[in-house]
Amino acid sequence: MNRWIKYWQPMLAALAVSGCSLSGPQSTLDADGPVARIQYETFLVTLWVSVAIFAVVGGMFLYCLVNFRAPGGEVSRDYPLPDQGHGNPLLEIGVIFVSILLVGIVAVPAVYGVLYAGTLPEGQKPLRINVTGYQWWWKFEYPELGVVTGNEAGIPVGRPVEFHVQTSDVLHSFWIPRLGGKMDLTPGQDDWLWLQADKPGVYWGQCTEFCGESHAFMRMRVVALEPEAFDKWAAHQKEGVANTKPPAAINKFQCLACHALRGLPGGETGNRGPDLTHVGSRTSIAAGIKENTPGNLKAWIHNPNDLKPGNIMYKQGYIDMWQNLMHVQLTDAEENELVDYLTSLK
Amino acid sequence: MSSEVLLDNPHEMGCTGLPHRKILMWAFLASDCMFFGSLISTYLVYRGHSTDHPLPEDIFDIPLTSTSSFVLLLSSWLMVLALSAIQKGKLWEFRLWTLGVAFFGSIFLGFQVYEFTHFVHSGLTLKQNLFGSTFFVLTGTHGCHVAIGVLWLMSLFFYSFIGGVTKERSLDVEIAGLYWHFVDIVWIVIFTAVYLLEYII
Amino acid sequence: MHIEPVKEKGFYDFLGRQVEPKGLIGWLTTVDHKRIGILYAVTALLWFLVGGIEALAIRSQLAMANLRLYSAETYNQMFTMHATTMIFLVVMPLAAGFFNYMVPLMVGARDVAFPRLNAFSYWMFLFGSLLINASWLFNAAPNGSWVGYPPLSLFQYSQGHNYDFWLIGLQVLGIASVAASLNFITTIINMRAPGMTMMRLPVFVWMTLVTNFLVVLAFPVITIALAELMFDRTYATNFFNPMKGGLPIWWQHLFWVFGHPEVYILILPPMGIVSEVLPVFARKPLFGYPLVVGSGMGIGFMGFTVWAHHMFASGMGNIANAAFALTTMTIAIPTGVKIINWVGTLWKGQIRMRTPMLFALGFIYQFMMGGFSGLMHANAAHDAQQHDTYFIVAHFHYVLIGGALFGLWSGIYYWYPKITGRMMNEARGHAAFWFLFIGFNTTFFPMHWLGLNGMPRRIYSYSHAQGWDQLNLLCTVGAFTMAVAVLLLFTDMFWLSLKYGEKAGGDPWDGRTLEWSIPSPPPVYNFEEIPTVKALDDFWITKHPELLHHEEDSAAHAAGAGHGAHHVHHDDHGIHMPGGSWFPMFASAGFAIGAWGLVHSGGMYHIKEAIQPALDAAAKAGVSWDQLVSTAQTVVSSKTPDAQNILNVVNAESVLKLQACYNGVKTAIVGGVLGVLGIFLWALEPIGGYYIHKEKEEHAGE
């Protein structure tokens, strides 16, 4: 099956006329892992069967349109009638049999692909990551490694990763297109999927099950690292930030009620927002919607509602400060301090 | 929907030799099958999913419900007699049997009201747990069907006194009968799925 | 010809039931299937404008990366209402308009089986559509996508009335659809003209029959799902509440057991229209009529076996995914058969390039494309990549616009002369077609690529780095091109051709089926004499008697024998036409008021539960409910807690909301009683109406 891709890829590229790029950070056509690749290959089978049918049936259709026009586009009623045949049973039966055959051709790889993606590979023990969806961000927990992170997950290259998905509120769907198909986060179910990255890189993902006002702003990134680099990353993520000096704003605005800053007093428990212990080491902020630059971070802290309408940090943290009906507005100095501090949390 | 019931519609008989209203009723009953099918499957899917008590085994009284089910089944038999009577033009017999059907239906409803009250006092409400939600909505919907049937039959009963029900218009009774039998059959399914299943599994 | 009213007694005389409906009252009380058909179609087309404006708003917002033309919340309302409107308020009722107008004409009947039930269906539909759109006025338009998945749709996550409007509105529309469908099933099975055997029915009528069976069998499922969700929201039941063990996935199953047949409810009638149009404009019979009919039934039947292919990403497991992939692929077979048969109809025909034909040909091409992308979704392995992306959006717009809407537009151009008596302008028709065809393909073909390139659906905005800018802009340009086509159609249909179009005559297209055998527009009684049907495409055979023998060889000849028993009603009274009736509208207005009340009772028990401590405190202090409400009003307006300290500002607002819920319940009861009263009055109402007598001379003249 892996061989097909060599032949079809250039042809698909030819199909992609108009010069529009089909290769983007979330392109399913750039399969960078075995799951995505198998799914892509089964897609190509369906695609080419469809193209073949289209060539034949569409060709006949076009042939009719060209050859069987009434002279001048319209004829009078007494113009001699064409043959009044009602059909051809033999042809019809043939069509049905050919359709069954074609469906069979499409069905076999489809079922193979379902089983492939739905069965953990044997051999290497997969790395387990528990994914929890929140409106509108992601929590990643590594139960075997004791690592917790938000919106950006590190994974080792070349090793299958078993993602167990669950939701803390409404439905979401976990999707890293270049690594493979998606899985919904459904309450009351323990669903999982496995993915694997072939080469190091940053893989973009996005929530694909409508989850409310800021559904569009619930993105994520998966960073694939070489095994050694991954081990280093994981070990670093476990460390706390006890020896840092948090600015006063962290306490003033009760950030730790929701966010964890492990190692700080009272910083272990916050779990309604992403874990910020190593926020400075991430490539993006606000669930993958902005690059992690000081400017973006400041804009986000200044008014989270601008970037992500309706988010809980704004609604509960800024607007009514946990029902004390106190409107929060950070001063410029406070914002700068916070940005400096958070950026330093590598 | 029973609009054409009371009219002399010359086009009433269709090309299949069946009256329009009968076809309408059968199609409606097919629709109602899916309606109850969805409710019953909801009940069955959620069986055992309740997180709180009371559960069926805490509160069901099978002998009591069996009695009311038997009463409802008997009413179907009376319905047959009522239809047969009006088809023969025996108006008084028809009135008697129809009253019987409505009466038995009311007894069934009475049992249901008693049962619901008892359950609510035992702590089972619509919002208590999944069992409460599914049970009350399923049996309550059936109860509404029975109540509509009783009202329908009572309308026929009273209508018979002003000449609205005659041998020639026995179709009106037949259609009400179709509905009534359907409601009975559905109850047998519900009774099996909701009550008897607790004995079997 | 003269008219003799039926004598009526008492009460019903005072209701303005006119012998021949005239003016506004005529339209409000009409039970004539042709008028109801026009009402359906015009209403649907008006909602089509609304849904189209919503579509343009969506496309404008997505035209470029990071746009913020309006808020995310509005966007969510916009796409939810776009889908709800287009599915339930446009395609279904527009098809229903054709059912109403055409089915009795095509089977050779004077009306549908239950004319007043028919009127009731229309009014329910109208009020339901108004109800669901009234939500815009309260800034509470449904905002959770047309699938309304819980938990998002539970009260815990959505506390406005947005979902209440959606739930109750769809219930009202569901009642309308089921009532109409029961009526059409009866009409088609039972009101065929003598000789019109099932296998002589026009394909459009067949597809209507299959569609209406689907409605009758699929809508109860969504009715239950909606009712359960409504109970969850209003009465705090636990059907879909995960905290109490409820399974949100169960909603998905119920929804799609309805939702997939619904897809065929949308597409089968246009398939029927295309199957009528192609033979007329190719001047030869439909290729493989029995197989086209059979595959229509097959599609309808299999529509119930494939629902879970909408849930491949919901964690059903390998076996279920594989099984539903296989059943779904099986549907490709009857669908393919249909397309082959349409092409076979064109084969060696004399294709007349008139506007209805253009749209029918466009249908074939685009439906084929939609079918292929459908086959690609059926591949469950790759559907994990396609699910909830723009690839899906591309697919269903190819079948719903490229398929359903092109078919329906073909129907509009085809039957417009029959309905109005005037031809639509060919040049403007061709222009509309090309604008729509090019606009449509420009809008939706790039969406395949967007989907494969990872763009999820239902997103308000995207960033430049995701790489979707150019194609999205292209889609937006296409959408506005389509808008031009819609404007062309509307000006032509409602103004230019209606006023200035050339007179059509009874049979402008050289038609094949019975509706072309009567004048345009048809007289109120449709047929002077109920026709006797000798063959498939009977009117065509009448015009070409030399074909009859050939017909009888191939058509189902034997079935004709059973029709000897049928009697056409001839008596001295002439043709009986039923009188109008106020009660269908009265009853449905009652139910609509009730529905309005139900919407406003949404969230009742949740609100009550939240303020239970305050209610208990009030009870302890001996404060009655009315007093509590007036206290709450003072608290809310003064923004200070009351003296007894029972209510703070938040509680007080809840008390007022609860009061609104209680009022809603009261309204619901009043409305329900009015509705039932309406049905009772309608049941007791004599059919009334009038008799049309043909004069002796007129007989002689024919």
Side-chain angles (χ1 to χ4, degrees):
Chain A
M1 218 166 197
N2 288 341
R3 257 178 253 147
W4 296 347
I5 199 159
K6 289 192 187 115
Y7 304 112
W8 301 132
Q9 200 125 43
M11 296 177 77
L12 189 82
L15 200 79
V17 287
S18 81
C20 288
S21 167
L22 288 185
S23 138
Q26 290 178 211
S27 173
T28 62
L29 304 172
D30 294 332
D32 285 327
V35 176
R37 197 172 313 114
I38 292 288
Q39 288 168 337
Y40 175 60
E41 283 164 10
T42 64
F43 170 68
L44 288 182
V45 176
T46 331
L47 179 67
W48 288 108
V49 167
S50 300
V51 169
I53 302 173
F54 183 64
V56 174
V57 182
M60 278 163 52
F61 180 57
L62 208 62
Y63 183 83
C64 289
L65 293 190
V66 173
N67 286 290
F68 301 127
R69 280 205 196 207
E74 179 58 292
V75 286
S76 70
R77 279 167 205 227
D78 39 17
Y79 192 80
L81 289 179
D83 176 44
Q84 297 289 299
H86 274 86
N88 182 338
L90 222 61
L91 178 82
E92 312 258 21
I93 292 168
V95 166
I96 293 175
F97 272 101
V98 172
S99 326
I100 292 174
L101 186 77
L102 290 171
V103 164
I105 293 177
V106 177
V108 172
V111 172
Y112 173 79
V114 168
L115 296 178
Y116 183 86
T119 319
L120 274 178
E122 287 173 19
Q124 216 178 358
K125 186 177 174 297
L127 172 72
R128 179 168 170 151
I129 300 179
N130 291 341
V131 181
T132 310
Y134 292 76
Q135 281 177 322
W136 296 275
W137 64 279
W138 305 86
K139 178 156 82 185
F140 299 103
E141 292 163 299
Y142 298 64
E144 294 142 5
L145 305 177
V147 170
V148 179
T149 173
N151 296 327
E152 226 166 275
I155 61 166
V157 163
R159 179 177 170 195
V161 184
E162 186 185 348
F163 292 94
H164 280 254
V165 296
Q166 56 181 341
T167 174
S168 75
D169 39 52
V170 303
L171 298 180
H172 303 281
S173 194
F174 176 81
W175 189 34
I176 314 289
R178 295 172 76 134
L179 300 184
K182 59 187 72 68
M183 181 59 74
D184 289 356
L185 282 56
T186 314
Q189 289 178 203
D190 175 30
D191 293 323
W192 59 273
L193 74 166
W194 75 275
L195 302 172
Q196 181 181 322
D198 290 338
K199 55 179 194 229
V202 180
Y203 298 100
W204 290 25
Q206 186 159 7
C207 174
T208 38
E209 187 63 80
F210 181 69
C211 57
E213 194 172 355
S214 274
H215 165 59
F217 305 118
M218 184 172 171
R219 303 178 202 154
M220 75 194 112
R221 292 184 188 179
V222 166
V223 184
L225 303 163
E226 295 293 356
E228 310 80 58
F230 173 75
D231 290 341
K232 248 168 90 182
W233 174 84
H236 178 63
Q237 292 287 317
K238 273 164 80 169
E239 288 168 17
V241 287
N243 46 7
T244 58
K245 277 210 188 91
I250 296 257
N251 278 330
K252 183 178 169 194
F253 299 110
Q254 301 172 24
C255 301
L256 300 182
C258 295
H259 294 288
L261 276 170
R262 282 175 281 117
L264 294 187
E268 308 284 344
T269 47
N271 64 357
R272 295 182 69 186
D275 186 310
L276 297 180
T277 313
H278 294 284
V279 66
S281 71
R282 295 177 197 152
T283 64
S284 66
I285 55 164
I289 57 179
K290 287 282 174 191
E291 295 306 312
N292 191 358
T293 63
N296 285 339
L297 195 53
K298 188 174 174 186
W300 166 245
I301 292 171
H302 182 70
N303 187 353
N305 210 45
D306 267 0
L307 278 179
K308 195 178 286 196
N311 77 77
I312 189 173
M313 173 152 90
Y314 180 74
K315 270 199 319 204
Q316 300 200 352
Y318 280 49
I319 293 286
D320 64 359
M321 200 67 179
W322 317 112
Q323 304 210 339
N324 291 332
L325 301 168
M326 187 175 110
H327 202 91
V328 169
Q329 188 59 58
L330 283 76
T331 63
D332 196 53
E334 282 168 341
E335 282 170 9
N336 286 337
E337 274 173 23
L338 274 174
V339 170
D340 288 346
Y341 176 69
L342 293 173
T343 318
S344 75
L345 299 176
K346 295 287 183 192
Chain B
M1 329 250 158
S2 51
S3 62
E4 270 71 16
V5 170
L6 312 161
L7 314 165
D8 292 310
N9 184 351
H11 304 296
E12 166 81 7
M13 281 295 176
C15 59
T16 53
L18 292 168
H20 295 338
R21 275 180 291 140
K22 216 166 175 174
I23 294 183
L24 181 94
M25 197 63 205
W26 278 108
F28 170 75
L29 294 182
S31 187
D32 228 16
C33 273
M34 292 299 283
F35 192 80
F36 277 108
S38 310
L39 279 171
I40 293 170
S41 49
T42 303
Y43 181 87
L44 292 178
V45 163
Y46 281 143
R47 221 172 145 255
H49 273 78
S50 291
T51 50
D52 304 287
H53 280 273
L55 297 174
E57 60 263 32
D58 302 336
I59 51 170
F60 271 174
D61 182 352
I62 306 271
L64 178 95
T65 318
S66 306
T67 314
S68 72
S69 308
F70 183 68
V71 170
L72 193 65
L73 284 187
L74 271 186
S75 75
S76 247
W77 174 59
L78 292 184
M79 188 71 236
V80 174
L81 293 180
L83 176 62
S84 145
I86 195 65
Q87 279 172 341
K88 288 179 191 137
K90 297 176 182 166
L91 199 56
W92 271 105
E93 255 183 56
F94 160 77
R95 284 173 191 152
L96 182 66
W97 298 132
T98 306
L99 209 56
V101 182
F103 179 64
F104 278 25
S106 309
I107 290 181
F108 175 83
L109 286 175
F111 269 104
Q112 197 170 37
V113 169
Y114 169 78
E115 192 187 33
F116 279 19
T117 321
H118 173 68
F119 284 1
V120 169
H121 285 307
S122 318
L124 186 75
T125 58
L126 262 177
K127 53 180 184 171
Q128 173 63 20
N129 58 13
L130 266 176
F131 169 56
S133 302
T134 51
F135 173 83
F136 282 121
V137 171
L138 169 58
T139 53
T141 308
H142 181 266
C144 288
H145 274 70
V146 175
I148 291 169
V150 169
L151 284 179
W152 189 345
L153 289 166
M154 288 312 291
S155 318
L156 284 176
F157 175 78
F158 288 117
Y159 211 57
S160 75
F161 287 98
I162 53 168
V165 183
T166 59
K167 186 179 174 181
E168 291 70 36
R169 294 185 177 183
S170 65
L171 183 65
D172 296 353
V173 181
E174 198 177 341
I175 285 174
L178 274 178
Y179 175 82
W180 190 261
H181 293 314
F182 172 79
V183 171
D184 276 9
I185 293 166
V186 167
W187 179 252
I188 295 175
V189 180
I190 294 176
F191 184 63
T192 313
V194 176
Y195 294 89
L196 292 185
L197 210 59
E198 295 304 323
Y199 266 146
I200 303 163
I201 306 167
Chain C
M1 195 167 282
H2 76 271
I3 283 166
E4 176 204 347
V6 174
K7 295 206 175 50
E8 291 181 34
K9 280 176 255 169
F11 170 59
Y12 289 97
D13 258 354
F14 296 103
L15 294 170
R17 298 177 71 214
Q18 293 158 331
V19 162
E20 232 184 342
K22 280 191 197 79
L24 183 65
I25 290 178
W27 284 96
L28 295 180
T29 62
T30 186
V31 294
D32 178 9
H33 72 97
K34 296 183 287 298
R35 285 185 160 213
I36 293 172
I38 292 171
L39 284 173
Y40 258 113
V42 170
T43 316
L45 287 167
L46 292 179
W47 290 126
F48 179 59
L49 285 186
V50 174
I53 289 167
E54 286 156 2
L56 293 179
I58 293 170
R59 277 319 320 164
S60 305
Q61 164 60 27
L62 291 176
M64 281 180 267
N66 295 322
L67 275 187
R68 295 280 199 282
L69 293 183
Y70 46 87
S71 73
E73 171 64 17
T74 309
Y75 179 83
N76 295 341
Q77 299 183 358
M78 210 58 97
F79 76 72
T80 305
M81 282 307 288
H82 167 70
T84 307
T85 303
M86 287 304 191
I87 292 168
F88 295 103
L89 310 185
V90 177
V91 176
M92 280 180 75
L94 196 51
F98 286 128
F99 299 167
N100 264 290
Y101 204 103
M102 290 303 157
V103 164
L105 299 184
M106 289 174 111
V107 301
R110 292 231 159 88
D111 207 323
V112 294
F114 303 94
R116 278 177 290 189
L117 182 61
N118 204 21
F120 174 75
S121 303
Y122 169 72
W123 294 112
M124 278 306 259
F125 155 66
L126 178 70
F127 291 134
S129 64
L130 289 173
L131 175 71
I132 210 164
N133 273 285
S135 61
W136 284 115
L137 307 178
F138 297 81
N139 192 23
N143 57 358
S145 90
W146 88 285
V147 297
Y149 281 178
L152 186 61
S153 47
L154 295 178
F155 185 77
Q156 290 86 326
Y157 297 102
S158 170
Q159 304 192 346
H161 283 313
N162 311 52
Y163 276 98
D164 300 314
F165 272 108
W166 186 75
L167 290 168
I168 310 294
L170 288 192
Q171 291 292 44
V172 174
L173 295 171
I175 295 171
S177 300
V178 171
S181 292
L182 294 171
N183 206 345
F184 285 112
I185 288 173
T186 312
T187 305
I188 295 170
I189 291 180
N190 224 20
M191 291 185 74
R192 286 165 289 130
M196 179 67 92
T197 62
M198 291 307 272
M199 290 313 277
R200 287 177 188 165
L201 282 178
V203 178
F204 176 67
V205 179
W206 257 115
M207 293 305 114
T208 308
L209 185 63
V210 175
T211 303
N212 285 309
F213 266 110
L214 291 181
V215 170
V216 161
L217 297 177
F219 266 76
V221 184
I222 193 68
T223 306
I224 292 301
L226 293 170
E228 289 175 351
L229 189 53
M230 183 203 113
F231 277 39
D232 272 7
R233 288 181 59 83
T234 306
Y235 303 107
T237 55
N238 312 305
F239 288 102
F240 306 113
N241 179 6
M243 307 310 276
K244 289 274 210 164
L247 301 173
I249 194 83
W250 180 240
W251 165 271
Q252 299 184 22
H253 280 290
L254 286 177
F255 185 87
W256 289 113
V257 166
F258 149 79
H260 202 79
E262 169 70 16
V263 172
Y264 297 130
I265 290 167
L266 300 173
I267 194 66
L268 285 173
M271 281 180 164
I273 292 173
V274 167
S275 304
E276 294 303 320
V277 169
L278 288 175
V280 169
F281 294 93
R283 301 190 85 215
K284 65 191 275 275
L286 186 69
F287 191 86
Y289 168 89
L291 217 62
V292 173
V293 170
S295 56
M297 284 194 278
I299 290 171
F301 178 76
M302 289 194 309
F304 282 99
T305 66
V306 299
W307 77 90
H309 68 213
H310 298 268
M311 300 160 59
F312 281 149
S314 71
M316 294 186 300
N318 296 350
I319 306 295
N321 278 4
F324 280 102
L326 294 179
T327 54
T328 305
M329 287 179 185
T330 322
I331 285 200
I333 297 168
T335 317
V337 164
K338 280 206 172 215
I339 290 177
I340 291 281
N341 279 298
W342 289 327
V343 175
T345 307
L346 301 176
W347 195 262
K348 295 196 174 169
Q350 293 163 354
I351 299 173
R352 302 157 54 203
M353 286 293 181
R354 307 295 291 270
T355 316
M357 186 62 163
L358 279 181
F359 278 97
L361 297 173
F363 172 99
I364 295 178
Y365 163 69
Q366 278 145 190
F367 188 75
M368 208 155 40
M369 301 300 290
F372 291 137
S373 52
L375 191 64
M376 293 168 196
H377 311 325
N379 172 354
H382 195 260
D383 187 71
Q385 293 279 34
Q386 302 165 10
H387 179 69
D388 271 348
T389 68
Y390 263 74
F391 197 81
I392 302 285
V393 178
H395 161 75
F396 66 70
H397 282 97
Y398 260 86
V399 284
L400 286 183
I401 297 182
L405 208 66
F406 269 67
L408 290 168
W409 275 32
S410 173
I412 290 174
Y413 280 97
Y414 180 54
W415 280 315
Y416 185 90
K418 178 50 61 186
I419 294 168
T420 63
R422 286 182 188 274
M423 301 299 287
M424 278 178 93
N425 181 289
E426 278 290 311
R428 286 193 294 266
H430 277 57
F433 169 78
W434 286 111
F435 269 106
L436 190 69
F437 182 79
I438 293 168
F440 166 76
N441 284 288
T442 315
T443 312
F444 293 103
F445 199 79
M447 287 189 187
H448 291 109
W449 284 326
L450 282 173
L452 292 175
N453 208 349
M455 180 168 167
R457 64 195 278 205
R458 299 176 181 136
I459 55 168
Y460 163 61
S461 185
Y462 53 93
S463 72
H464 183 70
Q466 285 169 310
W468 305 323
D469 310 35
Q470 300 144 332
L471 288 177
N472 266 305
L473 188 60
L474 189 62
C475 294
T476 304
V477 171
F480 280 89
T481 317
M482 288 167 77
V484 176
V486 175
L487 285 182
L488 272 171
L489 173 79
F490 273 69
T491 45
D492 202 16
M493 182 165 47
F494 289 121
W495 175 36
L496 292 174
S497 288
L498 193 63
K499 206 161 174 198
Y500 308 109
E502 59 179 289
K503 288 260 191 276
D507 179 25
W509 303 118
D510 199 9
R512 312 174 71 86
T513 38
L514 287 179
E515 77 270 29
W516 303 111
S517 67
I518 53 175
S520 307
V524 64
Y525 46 81
N526 295 353
F527 298 93
E528 279 184 19
E529 293 273 357
I530 296 293
T532 302
V533 175
K534 299 171 292 297
L536 181 64
D537 291 339
D538 190 69
F539 184 50
W540 180 252
I541 299 299
T542 315
K543 292 188 280 189
H544 300 275
E546 73 279 6
L547 297 171
L548 182 59
H549 181 66
H550 177 62
E551 280 293 331
E552 281 187 331
D553 284 344
S554 51
H557 177 62
H563 285 259
H566 179 76
H567 298 289
V568 188
H569 182 71
H570 289 293
D571 61 21
D572 305 333
H573 297 302
I575 302 170
H576 174 248
M577 299 309 298
S581 173
W582 284 103
F583 295 114
M585 188 177 69
F586 180 87
S588 43
F591 289 129
I593 293 168
W596 181 259
L598 282 182
V599 168
H600 290 278
S601 72
M604 185 163 61
Y605 273 64
H606 291 282
I607 297 170
K608 194 174 167 208
E609 212 164 297
I611 55 166
Q612 197 60 50
L615 295 180
D616 291 342
K620 222 173 177 183
V623 180
S624 78
W625 174 250
D626 289 337
Q627 287 165 330
L628 194 64
V629 170
S630 60
T631 317
Q633 276 158 347
T634 349
V635 170
V636 168
S637 53
S638 67
K639 299 213 163 159
T640 43
D642 69 315
Q644 287 167 289
N645 210 6
I646 296 171
L647 295 175
N648 61 25
V649 179
V650 177
N651 278 347
E653 274 171 5
S654 297
V655 167
L656 295 185
K657 277 188 201 159
L658 192 57
Q659 172 67 7
C661 291
Y662 289 159
N663 287 339
V665 172
K666 284 177 203 155
T667 316
I669 293 172
V670 171
V673 168
L674 282 177
V676 172
L677 180 71
I679 288 191
F680 251 93
L681 288 172
W682 145 22
L684 293 170
E685 179 183 51
I687 198 160
Y690 53 96
Y691 288 94
I692 296 173
H693 294 273
K694 282 194 293 179
E695 309 298 343
K696 291 253 158 52
E697 311 85 79
E698 282 184 71
H699 272 298
E702 281 171 41

